[in-house]
């Protein structure tokens, strides 16, 4: 049993002025958490596969002091629209363009974790005029490790077919270096998403990128990374289950304006696992204060 004190999503949000709602972004009903004055520069937080906006509940307050922060649910995820087809990176890119148009902004800062980092890197490569700075947090899309893909697919589909407490808990524990970071409240938050009537079909669509051939045509190549013009911070962790720190270092070395920050004792959700360190290095980079290493 965990010895950690009980925490909940509401503990994370109780000092944050925020709103939760839906944007009609083109054809996509997009659910969001928003904090910060809308007159400030826009920062979009993008979660990982089968994730949701609550991945960033511990980061909204610190960033809202400087940005208009939007944590959104990708299509096929959370409470956003769930298209009736396999989801590949161009589909998420289309959603992002519609979100920016709906918000009435030409450019934004992007911070993506795992799948969110993969989408962020592709968006920055294809739409440089819409990007200020990017953060690639334990990003996906540069590797195709069959063992990791199979593990992620199995855990996700098992929880989709049987959204029991233990299945959902196991899926969340994959994200954390210390599984006791997975709180009951976090499990219940995700369980409610997985219990939606359309979730099993949505999860099958989300898992398209775990199919090797589908993944290959969506992957980020070395040349794609070299083509990114935006200033980029690559965040990697010492206990990431998707790949070693060496991969983060390689990615950062290929992006012309890229740099690396390594977080110790974290897995695949460093923004949640070590919030003070993440917020510090993240804001140092976005605000140009230096010192993010």
């Amino acid at each position: 049993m965990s010895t950690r004190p009980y925490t909940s999503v509401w503990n994370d949000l109780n000092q944050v002025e925020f709103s939760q709602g839906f944007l009609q972004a083109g054809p996509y009903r997009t659910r969001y958490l928003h904090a910060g004055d809308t007159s400030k520069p826009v920062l979009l937080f993008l979660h990982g596969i089968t994730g949701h906006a609550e991945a960033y509940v511990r980061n909204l307050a610190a960033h809202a002091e400087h940005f208009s922060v939007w944590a959104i649910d990708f299509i096929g995820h959370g409470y956003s629209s769930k298209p009736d087809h396999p989801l590949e990176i161009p589909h998420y890119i289309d959603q992002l363009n519609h979100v920016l148009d709906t918000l009435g902004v030409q450019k934004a800062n992007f911070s993506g974790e795992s799948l969110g980092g993969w989408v962020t890197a592709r968006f920055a490569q294809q739409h440089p005029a819409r990007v200020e700075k990017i953060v690639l947090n334990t990003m996906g899309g540069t590797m195709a490790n069959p063992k990791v893909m199979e593990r992620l697919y199995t855990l996700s589909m098992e929880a989709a077919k049987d959204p029991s407490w233990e299945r959902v808990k196991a899926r969340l524990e994959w994200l954390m270096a210390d599984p006791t970071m997975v709180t009951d409240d976090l499990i219940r938050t995700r369980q409610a998403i997985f219990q939606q009537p359309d979730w099993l079909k949505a999860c099958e669509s989300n898992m398209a990128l775990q199919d090797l051939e589908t993944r290959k045509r969506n992957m980020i190549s070395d040349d794609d990374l070299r083509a990114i013009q935006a200033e980029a911070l690559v965040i990697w962790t010492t206990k990431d289950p998707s790949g070693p720190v060496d991969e983060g270092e390689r990615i950062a070395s290929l992006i012309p304006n890229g740099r690396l920050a390594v977080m110790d004792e974290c897995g695949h959700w460093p923004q949640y696992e070590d919030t003070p360190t993440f917020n510090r290095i993240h804001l140092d980079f976005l605000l140009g204060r230096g010192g993010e290493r």
Side-chain angles (χ1 to χ4, degrees):
M1 178 178 287
S2 170
T3 58
R4 292 182 187 278
Y6 184 85
T7 63
S8 82
V9 169
W10 287 108
N11 291 130
D12 296 323
L13 293 173
N14 61 17
Q15 296 298 314
V16 185
E17 289 190 29
F18 77 102
S19 62
Q20 192 270 171
F22 296 87
L23 299 170
Q24 189 59 46
Y28 309 118
R29 186 172 189 256
T30 298
R31 183 248 184 169
Y32 67 82
L33 298 176
H34 175 258
D37 192 313
T38 54
S39 65
K40 294 177 178 175
V42 170
L43 167 64
L44 285 177
F45 276 129
L46 305 175
H47 61 76
I49 199 158
T50 73
H52 37 86
E54 283 82 358
Y56 294 101
V57 290
R58 295 184 173 180
N59 313 107
L60 291 179
H63 289 80
E65 295 178 16
H66 308 279
F67 297 95
S68 175
V69 186
W70 300 83
I72 66 168
D73 289 347
F74 275 134
I75 52 174
H77 292 74
Y79 298 101
S80 288
S81 296
K82 295 179 178 59
D84 187 21
H85 58 76
L87 290 170
E88 301 187 39
I89 298 302
H91 301 120
Y92 301 117
I93 298 291
D94 190 48
Q95 182 191 16
L96 287 190
N97 273 313
H98 282 298
V99 167
L100 293 183
D101 291 345
T102 303
L103 294 178
V105 296
Q106 173 60 31
K107 302 180 77 170
N109 298 280
F110 295 82
S111 179
E113 177 263 334
S114 195
L115 170 66
W118 187 346
V119 174
T120 294
R122 182 66 79 201
F123 192 86
Q125 178 215 354
Q126 294 182 340
H127 302 283
R130 308 210 75 172
V131 176
E132 294 284 357
K133 292 184 177 181
I134 61 172
V135 179
L136 308 174
N137 173 11
T138 60
M139 69 172 284
T142 61
M143 299 177 286
N145 184 323
K147 288 185 178 178
V148 174
M149 292 162 61
E150 191 278 335
R151 181 66 175 154
L152 192 54
Y153 179 89
T154 300
L155 283 172
S156 299
M157 290 306 300
E158 284 179 346
K161 293 173 182 173
D162 171 22
S164 63
W165 191 266
E166 289 306 317
R167 294 283 192 194
V168 175
K169 181 171 180 280
R171 176 63 181 85
L172 282 164
E173 286 178 344
W174 183 85
L175 299 166
M176 311 293 184
D178 178 358
T180 66
M181 291 292 294
V182 177
T183 65
D184 286 356
D185 198 50
L186 192 57
I187 296 169
R188 182 61 190 128
T189 297
R190 182 165 290 203
Q191 187 181 36
I193 292 170
F194 284 15
Q195 288 175 332
Q196 294 176 100
D198 56 357
W199 179 254
L200 178 57
K201 186 169 181 56
C203 193
E204 290 173 348
S205 296
N206 299 341
M207 286 294 113
L209 291 169
Q210 306 312 313
D211 171 74
L212 185 57
E213 292 307 311
T214 304
R215 190 181 189 89
K216 283 181 178 177
R217 64 173 174 260
N218 285 276
M219 286 182 67
I220 305 290
S221 71
D222 289 359
D223 284 342
D224 293 333
L225 293 170
R226 294 187 185 100
I228 292 174
Q229 299 173 21
E231 194 174 348
L233 174 65
V234 178
I235 296 178
W236 217 269
T237 67
T238 56
K239 295 186 176 180
D240 180 65
S242 70
V245 172
D246 289 353
E247 181 63 10
E249 187 172 8
R250 191 186 72 84
I251 292 168
S253 72
L254 290 169
I255 299 174
N257 292 307
R259 68 195 75 172
L260 175 70
V262 178
M263 291 180 59
D264 293 324
E265 302 302 320
C266 291
H268 210 50
W269 261 30
Q271 79 281 358
Y272 186 90
E273 298 173 88
D274 185 355
T275 301
T277 300
F278 179 89
N279 285 344
R280 175 179 55 77
I281 63 175
H282 203 256
L283 282 168
D284 281 350
F285 168 72
L286 291 176
L287 298 175
R289 298 192 300 214
E292 66 268 13
R293 290 178 184 276

